[in-house]
Amino acid sequence: MKNIKKLGAILLSTLFLMSSCSSNSNHGLSADQPVTLRLWHYYSGSQKEAFDDLVEEFNTTVGKEKGIIVDAIGKGSISNIANDVNKLLNDLSES
Protein backbone atom coordinates (compact mmCIF):
# COMPACT_ATOMS: atom_id res chain seq x y z
CA MET A 1 0.00 0.00 0.00
CA LYS A 2 2.87 2.40 0.79
CA ASN A 3 4.40 1.73 -2.63
CA ILE A 4 1.16 2.57 -4.43
CA LYS A 5 0.81 5.82 -2.51
CA LYS A 6 4.42 6.66 -3.24
CA LEU A 7 3.89 5.92 -6.96
CA GLY A 8 0.75 8.01 -7.02
CA ALA A 9 2.48 10.87 -5.26
CA ILE A 10 5.36 10.73 -7.73
CA LEU A 11 2.94 10.69 -10.68
CA LEU A 12 0.92 13.60 -9.41
CA SER A 13 4.05 15.53 -8.48
CA THR A 14 5.41 14.98 -11.96
CA LEU A 15 2.19 16.26 -13.49
CA PHE A 16 2.33 19.29 -11.24
CA LEU A 17 5.96 19.99 -12.11
CA MET A 18 5.26 19.58 -15.82
CA SER A 19 2.45 22.08 -15.55
CA SER A 20 4.52 24.66 -13.68
CA CYS A 21 8.02 24.27 -15.17
CA SER A 22 7.67 27.08 -17.62
CA SER A 23 8.43 30.55 -16.36
CA ASN A 24 6.32 31.79 -19.26
CA SER A 25 2.69 31.99 -18.17
CA ASN A 26 1.55 31.22 -21.73
CA HIS A 27 1.98 27.43 -21.43
CA GLY A 28 -1.23 26.46 -23.20
CA LEU A 29 -3.05 25.24 -20.09
CA SER A 30 -6.22 26.89 -18.95
CA ALA A 31 -8.71 26.12 -16.21
CA ASP A 32 -11.42 27.25 -18.64
CA GLN A 33 -10.35 24.69 -21.26
CA PRO A 34 -8.85 21.78 -19.33
CA VAL A 35 -6.69 19.07 -20.90
CA THR A 36 -7.57 15.48 -20.06
CA LEU A 37 -4.79 12.92 -19.57
CA ARG A 38 -6.02 9.35 -19.80
CA LEU A 39 -3.94 7.09 -17.53
CA TRP A 40 -4.29 3.32 -17.81
CA HIS A 41 -3.40 1.25 -14.76
CA TYR A 42 -3.72 -2.31 -13.52
CA TYR A 43 -4.56 -1.62 -9.86
CA SER A 44 -7.42 -3.34 -8.08
CA GLY A 45 -8.91 -3.48 -4.63
CA SER A 46 -7.31 -1.24 -2.01
CA GLN A 47 -4.54 -0.18 -4.41
CA LYS A 48 -7.12 1.10 -6.89
CA GLU A 49 -9.01 2.90 -4.14
CA ALA A 50 -5.83 4.62 -2.90
CA PHE A 51 -4.80 5.57 -6.44
CA ASP A 52 -8.29 6.86 -7.27
CA ASP A 53 -8.20 8.98 -4.10
CA LEU A 54 -4.88 10.52 -5.17
CA VAL A 55 -6.18 11.23 -8.67
CA GLU A 56 -9.34 12.80 -7.27
CA GLU A 57 -7.28 14.97 -4.93
CA PHE A 58 -5.11 16.12 -7.83
CA ASN A 59 -8.12 16.78 -10.07
CA THR A 60 -9.84 18.90 -7.44
CA THR A 61 -6.75 20.92 -6.46
CA VAL A 62 -3.75 21.46 -8.73
CA GLY A 63 -5.43 19.93 -11.75
CA LYS A 64 -8.44 22.20 -11.43
CA GLU A 65 -6.22 25.25 -10.98
CA LYS A 66 -3.93 24.41 -13.92
CA GLY A 67 -6.53 22.94 -16.27
CA ILE A 68 -5.38 19.31 -16.11
CA ILE A 69 -7.79 16.43 -15.58
CA VAL A 70 -6.46 12.93 -15.00
CA ASP A 71 -8.82 10.19 -16.18
CA ALA A 72 -7.55 7.01 -14.52
CA ILE A 73 -8.83 3.83 -16.15
CA GLY A 74 -8.33 0.36 -14.71
CA LYS A 75 -7.38 -2.09 -17.45
CA GLY A 76 -7.21 -5.17 -15.22
CA SER A 77 -3.66 -6.33 -15.94
CA ILE A 78 -0.37 -5.29 -17.47
CA SER A 79 -1.10 -7.69 -20.33
CA ASN A 80 -4.32 -5.83 -21.11
CA ILE A 81 -2.47 -2.51 -21.08
CA ALA A 82 0.25 -3.90 -23.37
CA ASN A 83 -2.36 -5.28 -25.77
CA ASP A 84 -4.21 -1.95 -25.89
CA VAL A 85 -0.96 0.00 -26.44
CA ASN A 86 0.04 -2.35 -29.27
CA LYS A 87 -3.41 -2.01 -30.85
CA LEU A 88 -3.18 1.79 -30.71
CA LEU A 89 0.30 1.74 -32.22
CA ASN A 90 -0.87 -0.54 -35.02
CA ASP A 91 -3.87 1.70 -35.68
CA LEU A 92 -1.62 4.77 -35.82
CA SER A 93 0.84 3.13 -38.20
CA GLU A 94 -2.02 2.19 -40.55
CA SER A 95 -3.39 5.73 -40.75
Side-chain angles (χ1 to χ4, degrees), residues 41-93:
H41 64 81
Y42 60 89
Y43 304 128
S44 63
S46 60
Q47 290 178 331
K48 182 182 181 314
E49 288 176 26
F51 189 74
D52 287 345
D53 289 345
L54 290 169
V55 169
E56 182 179 350
E57 180 180 343
F58 176 84
N59 285 342
T60 58
T61 57
V62 176
K64 184 176 182 179
E65 175 188 327
K66 300 288 184 182
I68 304 168
I69 298 169
V70 176
D71 181 17
I73 299 171
K75 289 291 192 173
S77 70
I78 292 175
S79 297
N80 291 345
I81 293 172
N83 290 336
D84 287 348
V85 167
N86 285 329
K87 182 181 181 318
L88 284 173
L89 292 173
N90 286 331
D91 290 349
L92 287 173
S93 68

Side-chain angles (χ1 to χ4, degrees), residues 19-56:
S19 69
S20 62
C21 279
S22 173
S23 60
N24 181 356
S25 64
N26 186 13
H27 46 61
L29 296 174
S30 165
D32 295 330
Q33 296 178 318
V35 173
T36 299
L37 301 175
R38 186 159 293 134
L39 173 71
W40 294 346
H41 64 81
Y42 60 89
Y43 304 128
S44 63
S46 60
Q47 290 178 331
K48 182 182 181 314
E49 288 176 26
F51 189 74
D52 287 345
D53 289 345
L54 290 169
V55 169
E56 182 179 350

